[in-house]
């Protein structure tokens, strides 16, 4: 299994810019396993993991995930 960020490392392999990431996953996703989403959030230095209740939560009941996204965006450093 090949990872974007090596096991045991929280160093981003980029050029000094560590990305901010909001990783959203849910238990019943057949393509993106929940444990992989959690693992990705662990490996990225500035990531936050949020578990959705289903693949359609953001579409049918967006309140909770919209708040998470709004909080995530509010914490991003200003560009420039």
């Amino acid at each position: 299994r090949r990872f974007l960020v090596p096991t045991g490392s929280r160093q981003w392999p980029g050029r000094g810019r560590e990305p901010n990431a909001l990783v959203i996953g849910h238990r019943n996703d057949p393509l993106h396993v929940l444990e992989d989403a959690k693992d990705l959030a662990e490996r990225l230095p500035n990531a936050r993991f949020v578990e959705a209740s289903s693949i359609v939560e953001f579409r049918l009941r967006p309140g909770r995930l919209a708040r998470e996204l709004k909080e995530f965006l509010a914490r991003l450093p200003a560009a420039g």
Side-chain angles (χ1 to χ4, degrees):
R1 209 168 154 182
R2 188 169 177 207
F3 293 104
L4 181 64
V5 180
T7 302
S9 172
R10 289 191 57 91
Q11 296 295 319
W12 180 252
R15 296 192 171 119
R17 288 188 232 142
E18 294 179 338
N20 295 289
L22 178 63
V23 180
I24 301 174
H26 70 90
R27 193 161 301 286
N28 297 314
D29 189 331
L31 297 176
H32 304 102
V33 179
L34 182 64
E35 292 307 315
D36 287 349
K38 289 179 181 178
D39 185 63
L40 177 62
E42 270 294 311
R43 291 167 188 270
L44 294 173
N46 297 323
R48 172 165 163 59
F49 174 76
V50 176
E51 185 173 346
S53 62
S54 75
I55 197 167
V56 295
E57 178 182 359
F58 200 53
R59 184 168 178 85
L60 299 179
R61 294 185 316 266
R64 182 179 73 89
L65 293 178
R67 282 189 299 277
E68 293 282 357
L69 179 57
K70 186 177 179 179
E71 286 177 23
F72 171 75
L73 294 173
R75 291 188 187 128
L76 292 177

